[in-house]
């Protein structure tokens, strides 16, 4: 009996002594956002009554690519900086406040691995490494009220095996859709907490995910739950105002639909050899561009702001915190601009003034695609010209040899 009590006491002691996985990041940051949802709950217990569809969170685009571990042959033509989209690991992003994670996995050389780009490809961390980051964070009691959204995209590989591996590591934290009577948009934060689970997983471009027997309601369809999409822009202006996928235009469409879906604002860049440098340029213009959304849409800017290099720019998490704090703790009504506490509203550029006007600018991916097609076409044309030239030369040589042979035969017959 004594040995059993000793063992229980030892387990309790070990549990109590478990180090906070975010301790290093907390020490190195000016403000501790590692448990910001729980902090808002402490400031106003009614925060738990808010719906998922009304709370704003921050997200990390291509969250598993803080470093490049491999590249395919075409990928080796580019620098590592063409693929790197984050500065720290997923754990670092969690500890600095990110709550939405865009993760893209590919089956390669016998393992699931993070990838960026399908044709010109860079690879990041392994599935096991990324999921262990989530497990370290979610298993710590302090973070049990932090609701995490995970958007998964798979390329190649066995979906069934992927979900088995996911459930093996994180299954005990995953929210089950069948345990809720309402649509996800109607869930309150406390509804999710009541399950003692706080990880919501969405599939994007899964094949037949609904037919995976072991799914059992643990994988939600991202496209059924969210509006909005990747901006695929090479400049700040086109990211906002391009007609086909500009972020202003997408948010206007979302508002016009009067839908209950969540909205993800993809504040991201594409193109060039250095995504980090492009992102730096974008945040030089902060907060004016983001503030346009706040002004145009009466204080509503969606549910997720997805960015590159999440923890490099304190302004991002500051926006997330102040938006929710002003709305649910201070009860500050939407103003003429985004208002920091104790400061005047910051006016926006009013780039399209709520009119829905936009610019017909090609997306970065289309530019790249057309450039590759142009280069490919050029190579094909050059190849055809070379082949025709070789054939023409060979024909001339053959004709010349035939003439020589004929002349020789004629001379030979005459000499006889």
């Amino acid at each position: 009996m004594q040995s059993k009590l000793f063992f229980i006491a030892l387990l309790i002691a070990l549990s109590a002594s478990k180090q906070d996985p975010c301790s290093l990041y907390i020490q190195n940051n000016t403000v501790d956002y590692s448990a910001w949802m729980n902090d808002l709950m402490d400031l106003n217990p009614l925060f738990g009554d808010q719906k998922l569809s009304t709370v704003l969170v921050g997200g990390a685009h291509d969250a598993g690519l803080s470093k490049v571990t491999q590249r395919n042959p075409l990928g080796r033509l580019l620098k590592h900086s063409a693929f790197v989209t984050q500065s720290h690991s997923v754990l670092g992003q969690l500890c600095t406040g990110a709550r939405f994670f865009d993760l893209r996995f590919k089956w390669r050389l016998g393992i699931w691995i993070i990838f960026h780009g399908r044709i010109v490809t860079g690879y990041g961390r392994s599935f096991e490494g990324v999921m262990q980051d989530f497990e370290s964070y979610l298993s710590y009691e302090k973070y049990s009220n932090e609701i995490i959204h995970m958007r998964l995209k798979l390329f190649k590989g066995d979906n069934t095996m992927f979900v088995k591996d996911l459930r093996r590591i994180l299954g005990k934290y995953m929210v089950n859709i069948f345990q809720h009577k309402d649509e996800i948009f109607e869930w309150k934060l406390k509804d999710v907490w009541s399950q003692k689970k706080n990880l919501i997983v969405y599939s994007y471009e899964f094949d037949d995910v609904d037919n995976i027997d072991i799914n059992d309601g643990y994988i939600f369809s991202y496209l059924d739950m969210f509006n909005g999409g990747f901006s695929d822009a090479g400049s700040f202006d086109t990211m906002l105002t391009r007609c086909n996928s500009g972020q202003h235009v997408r948010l206007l469409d979302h508002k016009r639909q009067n839908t209950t879906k969540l909205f993800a604002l993809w504040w991201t860049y594409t193109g060039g050899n250095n995504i980090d440098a492009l992102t730096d340029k974008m945040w030089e213009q902060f907060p004016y561009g983001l503030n346009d959304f706040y002004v145009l849409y009466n204080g509503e800017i969606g549910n997720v702001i997805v960015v590159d290099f999440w923890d490099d720019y304190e302004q991002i998490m500051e926006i997330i915190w102040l938006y929710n704090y002003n709305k649910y703790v201070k009860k500050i009504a939407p103003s003429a601009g985004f208002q920091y506490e104790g400061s005047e509203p910051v006016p926006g550029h009013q780039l399209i003034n709520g009119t829905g006007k936009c610019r017909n600018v090609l997306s970065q991916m289309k530019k790249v695609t057309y450039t590759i097609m142009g280069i490919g076409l050029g190579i094909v044309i050059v190849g055809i010209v070379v082949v025709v030239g070789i054939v023409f030369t060979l024909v001339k040589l053959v004709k010349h040899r035939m003439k020589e042979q004929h002349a020789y035969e004629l001379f030979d017959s005459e000499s006889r």
Side-chain angles (χ1 to χ4, degrees):
M1 181 67 179
Q2 286 182 338
S3 61
K4 187 176 180 181
L5 289 173
F6 173 77
F7 182 69
I8 293 172
L10 180 63
L11 284 176
I12 293 171
L14 287 172
S15 176
S17 65
K18 182 181 177 182
Q19 185 179 11
D20 185 341
C22 292
S23 57
L24 181 63
Y25 298 96
I26 293 170
Q27 293 169 17
N28 293 333
N29 284 291
T30 310
V31 182
D32 176 14
Y33 291 118
S34 64
W36 66 266
M37 299 182 91
N38 191 69
D39 293 341
L40 283 172
M41 185 75 171
D42 289 342
L43 290 168
N44 182 2
L46 294 179
F47 181 62
D49 289 324
Q50 305 310 317
K51 294 178 181 178
L52 279 174
S53 57
T54 62
V55 174
L56 178 67
V57 301
H61 167 234
D62 276 310
L65 261 158
S66 56
K67 64 178 181 179
V68 175
T69 58
Q70 305 171 37
R71 288 173 291 172
N72 72 353
L74 286 175
R76 294 191 190 102
L77 299 174
L78 301 179
K79 297 177 181 178
H80 281 207
S81 56
F83 304 105
V84 172
T85 52
Q86 299 297 332
S87 297
H88 291 101
S89 66
V90 166
L91 178 60
Q93 295 159 35
L94 282 161
C95 294
T96 50
R99 297 293 175 262
F100 178 99
F101 295 85
D102 167 41
L103 296 166
R104 309 172 191 202
F105 288 98
K106 184 176 182 178
W107 183 253
R108 175 178 168 82
L109 302 176
I111 63 168
W112 290 104
I113 190 169
I114 291 286
F115 78 100
H116 188 183
R118 290 194 175 185
I119 300 172
V120 182
T121 312
Y123 299 94
R125 296 183 69 200
S126 70
F127 169 86
E128 294 284 339
V130 170
M131 295 307 155
Q132 285 303 327
D133 276 1
F134 281 105
E135 207 283 329
S136 296
Y137 182 85
L138 293 168
S139 63
Y140 198 70
E141 180 62 27
K142 175 184 174 183
Y143 306 121
S144 59
N145 283 345
E146 304 302 304
I147 296 176
I148 312 300
H149 303 264
M150 183 189 291
R151 174 188 183 267
L152 294 171
K153 183 174 182 178
L154 301 187
F155 182 58
K156 295 187 176 179
D158 184 338
N159 294 338
T160 304
M161 182 177 67
F162 182 90
V163 177
K164 280 183 179 177
D165 288 341
L166 178 66
R167 293 279 304 279
R168 170 175 54 84
I169 301 174
L170 298 178
K172 60 185 174 182
Y173 308 109
M174 292 168 65
V175 172
N176 191 315
I177 192 171
F178 297 141
Q179 294 181 22
H180 288 276
K181 294 179 181 178
D182 300 320
E183 293 286 344
I184 187 172
F185 327 107
E186 300 299 319
W187 295 357
K188 295 179 180 178
L189 301 184
K190 65 182 183 182
D191 293 336
V192 180
W193 295 331
S194 68
Q195 281 195 40
K196 303 296 183 185
K197 298 176 186 292
N198 54 339
L199 175 63
I200 306 174
V201 180
Y202 309 91
S203 66
Y204 183 78
E205 292 189 358
F206 272 32
D207 294 325
D208 301 323
V209 69
D210 292 332
N211 296 326
I212 297 176
D213 292 337
I214 61 167
N215 178 15
D216 294 333
Y218 285 96
I219 308 287
F220 300 78
S221 168
Y222 178 81
L223 294 177
D224 288 345
M225 306 295 178
F226 277 87
N227 277 336
F230 181 44
S231 65
D232 187 22
S235 73
F236 181 77
D237 188 42
T238 56
M239 177 175 69
L240 293 176
T241 62
R242 191 178 60 240
C243 290
N244 57 347
S245 56
Q247 297 303 293
H248 269 302
V249 178
R250 280 184 166 147
L251 187 51
L252 281 169
D253 287 342
H254 174 73
K255 294 294 182 184
R256 290 187 187 116
Q257 290 174 26
N258 194 28
T259 178
T260 53
K261 285 186 177 183
L262 307 177
F263 182 81
L265 174 66
W266 292 75
W267 207 254
T268 54
Y269 278 153
T270 300
N273 257 340
N274 197 326
I275 300 170
D276 197 1
L278 283 170
T279 308
D280 275 338
K281 278 187 179 180
M282 175 180 73
W283 290 108
E284 284 174 8
Q285 301 175 72
F286 181 88
Y288 303 107
L290 185 58
N291 184 65
D292 286 337
F293 284 84
Y294 195 86
V295 174
L296 296 176
Y297 307 112
N298 196 32
E300 298 297 332
I301 51 179
N303 305 102
V304 186
I305 303 176
V306 189
V307 299
D308 293 312
F309 301 98
W310 161 263
D311 41 4
D312 279 6
Y313 308 95
E314 293 182 359
Q315 307 102 310
I316 306 171
M317 192 56 224
E318 190 174 14
I319 281 284
I320 304 299
W321 170 262
L322 285 171
Y323 178 91
N324 292 295
Y325 177 76
N326 287 345
K327 194 171 181 181
Y328 301 119
V329 177
K330 299 292 286 185
K331 306 294 184 182
I332 297 175
S335 62
F338 191 88
Q339 185 172 6
Y340 292 85
E341 189 177 13
S343 66
E344 292 297 315
V346 180
H349 285 313
Q350 294 284 321
L351 290 175
I352 57 173
N353 298 312
T355 62
K357 290 181 180 177
C358 55
R359 299 170 57 225
N360 288 307
V361 182
L362 284 177
S363 73
Q364 285 296 110
M365 288 302 292
K366 283 187 178 178
K367 285 181 181 178
V368 171
T369 302
Y370 292 158
T371 300
I372 291 172
M373 288 172 65
I375 292 170
L377 183 60
I379 291 170
V380 169
I381 291 171
V382 170
I384 291 171
V385 169
V386 169
V387 170
V388 169
I390 291 171
V391 170
F392 181 74
T393 303
L394 288 172
V395 169
K396 283 184 70 176
L397 284 171
V398 169
K399 284 183 177 180
H400 181 69
R401 290 298 303 272
M402 288 176 69
K403 282 183 180 180
E404 285 184 341
Q405 184 67 26
H406 179 70
Y408 175 77
E409 288 174 355
L410 186 63
F411 175 78
D412 187 56
S413 62
E414 288 176 353
S415 59
R416 287 178 185 175

